[in-house]
Structure formats: structure tokens, C-alpha cells
Amino acid sequence: MDKAYKVSPLRKVKNIDVFEKDTKYWCNVSPETMRILIDEIDQGGDFDETVMKYLAGYKDHFYCDYRADAGLLLPIDQESVVLDAGSMWGGLTIPIACHCREIYALDQTLETLELLSLRARKENINNIKLLNCSLQNLPFVDGYFDCIILNGVLEWVGMDEDVIVVDMWEKKFSGARPRTKSPRDIQQMVLKELRRVLKPDGVLYIAIENRIALKHFFGYPDPHINIPWVTILPRLIADALTKIKKGIDYRTYIYSPSQLIELLKEAGFLKFSMYALSHDYRKIVKQAPFAYYRRFGERRIPLFYESIKRRIFGKLIPSSYKYCDSLAVLCSESSIAPARILQILEKQGVIDSAANYFAAINNVRYENGTPVRIMIIDKATGRIIYYVKAARYSRRGYCNIADESGNFNYIYSKLPPELRARLIEVCYDGEADGYRLLVTKFIPKNISPENRLRRFGITSPHLKKELIKFNSNAIGFLVDFQKSLTVDHLPVTDIIRQFKEKAGELGIKERFSELFNCLYSRLSDDELNFKLPLTVQHGDFDTTNILGWPCADVILDFEELNKSGTPFLDLSNLLLNNFILFHKLKKTTTGFQPDWMEVIECGINTFSEKSRIPINIVSQFHLFGCLEHQIINYRRYRNKEAFPLYGKEAVEMILKMEFRKL
């Protein structure tokens, strides 16, 4: 018998220890679908193809690396023993298994465990132990686990019938069942059991939706049963409304921050570390400690940002972080160790003591191969000191941190000291405790108003003046950067010919023939024969990656670096990205805002003066840049649709642009 168990399993199904006579069912899809899927894989079917055949709507559970982003906030290490309580298909089990000694995957649904077993076998992960049992009666000895994960599970334990999630969302049922215990009583029973099997200094991590999330006050439905208002209504009224709408009683209890702490205290936990999440614990945009917000407010890490209504709320309401979308809490009977990322940085000498810092997730990208991004915050001052990129779990074996690190070292070795000083400062670059990390100094500079530009365009003469100044400063760096990293010179006509050959190889030559025709018609013979420098390209040179408004004095993010290309790809990104996104949002490819055109024309003139490239050639920068975006070899982890200059809509806008020569 496994040393973790206090009782022997009743039977074994494949490699799953079964402790229940009658197993229950909780899953996104029906048991029939799960059984067909498992049997096909058992009979030799390809795992990925079969999963996509039957579970295409849930592929993020298997193929999206971001689901375990919170792992670096857990206080665990390579020697930890972890319990994933409610593991389902292993969205957390698999990535966490790579960073601990042993993980037990517990679920009440035998079929989901069978699929998790097949997945672990395919990915050659051998430190996962599978067991089928109820959370109300755990088979473990007391004080066994260093960490228990209860991710999106607590709200469901009050449902004592089988659950197919899609039915809960869409269907009405025949009638409420008689109950002997309230959902809260069952949740407390589960929490007490989990506390029993934790070590005295062990930690329980809970992620759950927030009962008083701002969106619920505007009619956003309960995320479990699809009924508006029930989360914020008194339980008796919510129960009555659910019976009318769904034919069942209301059982999926979620809590406000204070209510959740009260529930945990009643279960015997004494120490707590609460996090505010936006938007969701399954796909985290931001995850920051309540302790930070209590001391320093929301100025540096705003949770509410994507609509005017939410931004106003975030500024006007005291403690507005308590109305975040989801909650996460670390709780323990004794003490809570610092987050894993802080412990790693202390060991590597980046920070003095992990206890002196907060760690907060601040994600911007979710493509596979991209890293989770974590801010390291000084507890004494509330200032963000470091910015960490940490490789997400990926069985695909690639990560853009390696690309960015290699690219940064390449250009750093070639740039003169005065340009190196404009690059972001790297504090750590390498492997640590099983994670690939890139740690840079956080630059507390004024951030460009790119969101305002993309939503509303240029709204004032002052903003136009500052944007012109920003572009001029950024172009000054760009020209010096390109001169230092020029690799060749080619006649413009040869460059266009190479573009056409590449487009032909990709089968898109005819689709973009108008761009080629415009270049030939707008350039004279002398201009076509002008030898244009080919240079290293930053690849993503826009307001997002240039810090300091309007001085443009720090450049970061080199994962898209290309070692040879025209000077115009970076210039196009700088001058056109916000412009194109603004017009895409306005759903217009004509009637360009005059102030925008003036700003772009000033940039063209500045670039021509500084680079000594003839003004008429520079005036076609948008054609060159757009063509390069269509034919460039994008990184595997980068969604090319995310580049504003890529695609049919951007090409239509580019063809309508002509610029004056100031």
C-alpha cells in the first residue's frame, strides 16, 4: 500500500487507485463521449487527434500553456509533495508535476483520470499518482502534503449528483432533490479534510470566482449555472430563482473575499494570503496580493482597465480590488512561505530576501511558447523593481525566452556603449530550479498612452505634439541602431524582386500584386537603383516596447529580432501600429484622421533626414513594411494575426495611404 494512504484502495483500474464503491461523475462532456475517446486511444489511436476529435471545444485544457501560470506563486520546490484535488484532465497536474517531487491527482470521475493517465504516459511524466475518491473522505494519512491545489473546485462540492457542465449551463432540470446539508456545510467539511492531510506548515491554494465581482452587478450570469444576479442575491432568494429558472436548488456557492476568509477560519486555517485576479483563474491577466492593494492602492497594478465604466469604478470606489473577477488564496495553520519565484530569485542573488517582496502576475500574451510575466514588488515602497519572464510548461520544447536571450546578447555585443545604455538591463538570464528565466530591471518611466491612441486616436494638440516628439526620439535611436547593425546594401529593385520571389514561394504573390505595383509606379529609376541598407530588425518596434513617454529612452523585448531586412519594417511598426489599430476599431479603411497623417509625415521626414535615405523612398515605407509583414517567417509561438500590419484589412488601408513630403 502507498505510504500516503491510511486505508487500502478497494480496487485498481489500470493505474488508478479506486476508493469509492460507486464512482460519481463531473465533467464537461458526457460519460459516453469520454468512454469512446478513452477506448479509441487505448486501441492505438493518436492521443492528440482523438482529443481534438471529441474535445475540440476544450482544447485549452490540453494545449494551452497558460493554465498553470499561478504555479510560480505557490510556495513549493522540487522536493514538494502536492495534491491536485479535483484534477480532471490534468490542466494543472501535468505542468506542476514537472516542478515537484510527486503529485497526487485526485478526482471523483474515473473517466477523467483514465484520460489523464493516458496523457501523462504520452508526455512521459512518471511522478503522478492517480486516485478516485470523494473530497469529503480522503484516504490519506494526516499531515502528508506540502501543498494542496483546489482550483475551481470548491464551488462544485455542494453538488452531490452527477454533473455534465454543459447541461448545467444550458438545460432546465426536472426538479430539486432533497438535501440534508447546505453547500456551505459540505464545503467546510471538505476544507477540514484538506487541512487534516496538510503538513503543519503546508499550504492550501484555492482559486474561485468572486461573489461580488463587479461584472455581477451589471447582470453577468453566475459562471456555473448561467443565471444573472444569483451570486449577489441572498442565498434564499438565489435558491428560489434557481428553482424557477433551472428546476434545481442553488448549490454552487462562491464567496466575497471576507466570506471566504471566514469559511477558511471556521475550517481551522489561521494564516492567509489573498490575491485579486483579472479576469479568471484559468487565464490570468493579473494576479496581485490583497496586501499590496491595501498598502499602496491600484495605481501601479490596475485591475480595472478594459472599459471606461470599469476604470471609473476602479478609481472612485475604495478597496475596489475586492470587486475583482476571481480570488485566489493561500492558507495554512502556521506560516506561509514566500512564492516560489521569490525563493528562486533569492537563491540566484537577484533579491536580498524573498520575505521583502510581493510577486504579481501581469500577463500580456498567451500563445504557446510565450512566458508568464511576473512583477517583483518591494513591500516597503510598493515599487515594481524587477520584471520576470518565466517559461511556461510546454511539451512542444520551445520558448521565446531562449530566442529573446540569444537576440539580446547578439545585439548587445555589436552595439556601441551609448546605444547599449538604451537597452533594458538584464539582471538574470538562465535556468533556475527547473525554470527558464529572464529577469530585467523594471523601468518606472511614464508609459505611452497607446490604449488611448488605439481607442480614440489623437484627441488634442498636446497629444499630437507629444507623439511627434516620441516618434522623433524613437527614430533617432532606430537610425543609430540600424547604422550600427547594417549587414549589406542592395538596390531597391533587387529587394522588391526578393520580396516577389518569397511571396511566390508562399503562394501569395498575386494577392499582394497591388503593393508591388505601387512601389514600381511611385519610385523613379534612380530611386529603384538606390542601394538601401539591409539591417538587423527589432521586429516589434512600437510604443509597447519603447519605454519613457515622450523621451523614448529604453528599448525592450527582442524576441522578434530579424538579422537582415529593410529599415522600414521597424519604422512601419513605430508609425503605423497604433494608427491601424485605431482605424480597425473604428471599422474604417478610409477617411484617415488628419492629425494622424501629419504625425506620420513628420516621422517620415525625421527618418529621411537622419538616415540619409531619399525622402521619396522613405515615403513608401508603409508599402515595404506591409510587404515584409506578409512574407516574414514569424516565430512558432507568435500569432501573426496579432501584428497590426499583417492581413487583408491592413493591406487595404496601406494601399490608400499617400504622404506629403514636408
Side-chain angles (χ1 to χ4, degrees), residues 13 35 75 101 105 124 136 198 208 248 301 314 325 363 403 414 433 459-460 519 607 616 628-629 632:
V13 176
R35 181 48 51 198
R101 177 160 60 87
N124 197 30
Q136 298 178 42
L198 267 177
I208 189 171
I248 56 175
I301 316 177
D325 296 318
N363 279 328
D403 285 344
K414 294 182 176 296
D433 200 27
T459 54
S460 70
L519 279 172
F607 188 87
N616 194 46
E628 280 193 274
H629 268 290
I632 202 168

Side-chain angles (χ1 to χ4, degrees), residues 44-57:
D46 179 81
F47 182 91
D48 296 326
E49 290 178 4
T50 310
V51 165
M52 290 303 295
K53 179 179 176 182
Y54 293 102
L55 300 177

Side-chain angles (χ1 to χ4, degrees), residues 234-421:
R235 301 296 195 194
L236 285 175
I237 299 175
D239 193 53
L241 182 59
T242 305
K243 285 176 180 175
I244 294 169
K245 294 280 189 179
K246 289 286 187 179
I248 56 175
D249 46 356
Y250 182 55
R251 306 287 294 178
T252 52
Y253 280 17
I254 55 179
Y255 298 92
S256 69
S258 60
Q259 289 171 336
L260 183 57
I261 294 298
E262 181 184 350
L263 181 70
L264 291 165
K265 284 181 177 178
E266 291 175 11
F269 292 97
L270 302 175
K271 300 292 183 180
F272 311 96
S273 179
M274 179 84 73
Y275 289 84
L277 278 77
S278 172
H279 300 278
D280 190 293
Y281 56 82
R282 288 169 289 258
K283 188 176 183 179
I284 300 167
V285 177
K286 289 183 172 65
Q287 180 168 341
F290 269 38
Y292 167 83
Y293 289 122
R294 279 196 294 267
R295 294 174 65 180
F296 304 110
E298 296 186 40
R299 184 169 62 87
R300 293 191 179 95
I301 316 177
L303 284 166
F304 302 109
Y305 62 93
E306 69 278 10
S307 71
I308 294 175
K309 180 167 55 180
R310 288 171 68 98
R311 288 204 301 273
I312 292 173
F313 178 87
K315 289 182 179 179
L316 295 182
I317 304 300
S319 302
S320 60
Y321 60 89
K322 294 179 181 178
Y323 299 88
C324 58
D325 296 318
S326 295
L327 304 170
V329 60
L330 291 164
C331 48
S332 175
E333 283 188 83
S334 55
S335 61
I336 300 173
R340 183 172 196 166
I341 185 60
L342 296 175
Q343 296 182 45
I344 293 172
L345 295 181
E346 181 182 342
K347 288 178 184 176
Q348 300 305 318
V350 177
I351 59 177
D352 51 357
S353 171
N356 294 335
Y357 296 87
F358 295 123
I361 292 173
N362 185 40
N363 279 328
V364 295
R365 289 178 45 196
Y366 299 91
E367 301 97 334
N368 288 337
T370 60
V372 55
R373 301 184 183 214
I374 301 173
M375 297 179 294
I376 308 302
I377 306 159
D378 188 321
K379 284 185 177 180
T381 64
R383 294 187 180 278
I384 303 166
I385 307 299
Y386 301 104
Y387 201 69
V388 180
K389 294 182 180 181
R392 292 176 169 124
Y393 165 79
S394 179
R395 63 180 182 155
R396 283 154 287 278
Y398 56 84
C399 175
N400 74 347
I401 293 179
D403 285 344
E404 181 170 9
S405 173
N407 292 338
F408 183 88
N409 291 332
Y410 172 78
I411 62 169
Y412 193 84
S413 67
K414 294 182 176 296
L415 289 178
E418 63 271 17
L419 292 182
R420 290 180 190 173

Side-chain angles (χ1 to χ4, degrees), residues 166-264:
V166 68
D167 290 348
M168 291 292 295
W169 189 257
E170 296 175 353
K171 292 184 179 181
K172 184 171 182 177
F173 298 87
S174 56
R177 294 175 52 179
R179 313 282 187 174
T180 58
K181 293 181 180 177
S182 74
R184 193 180 190 282
D185 289 342
I186 297 172
Q187 289 171 332
Q188 192 174 109
M189 184 188 309
V190 166
L191 291 170
K192 286 179 178 178
E193 265 293 88
L194 294 172
R195 180 176 62 82
R196 177 184 67 80
V197 302
L198 267 177
K199 291 178 179 178
D201 59 349
V203 172
L204 170 64
Y205 175 81
I206 298 172
I208 189 171
E209 292 86 357
N210 185 4
R211 183 182 183 184
I212 59 170
L214 176 61
K215 60 187 178 185
H216 294 312
F217 292 92
F218 294 98
Y220 189 88
D222 176 275
H224 311 99
I225 58 173
N226 194 25
I227 302 175
W229 313 114
V230 292
T231 61
I232 56 176
L233 289 171
R235 301 296 195 194
L236 285 175
I237 299 175
D239 193 53
L241 182 59
T242 305
K243 285 176 180 175
I244 294 169
K245 294 280 189 179
K246 289 286 187 179
I248 56 175
D249 46 356
Y250 182 55
R251 306 287 294 178
T252 52
Y253 280 17
I254 55 179
Y255 298 92
S256 69
S258 60
Q259 289 171 336
L260 183 57
I261 294 298
E262 181 184 350
L263 181 70
L264 291 165

Side-chain angles (χ1 to χ4, degrees), residues 500-518:
K500 292 179 77 172
E501 289 173 357
K502 181 65 175 177
E505 293 171 9
L506 297 172
I508 59 172
K509 181 178 173 181
E510 296 304 318
R511 195 187 318 167
F512 301 112
S513 59
E514 281 190 77
L515 289 172
F516 292 112
N517 293 339
C518 280

Side-chain angles (χ1 to χ4, degrees), residues 23 51 74 159 165 169 204 280 289 418 566 585 593-595 652:
T23 62
V51 165
L74 301 178
M159 301 288 296
V165 177
W169 189 257
L204 170 64
D280 190 293
E418 63 271 17
T566 77
L585 189 65
Q593 198 180 55
D595 284 343
E652 289 176 0

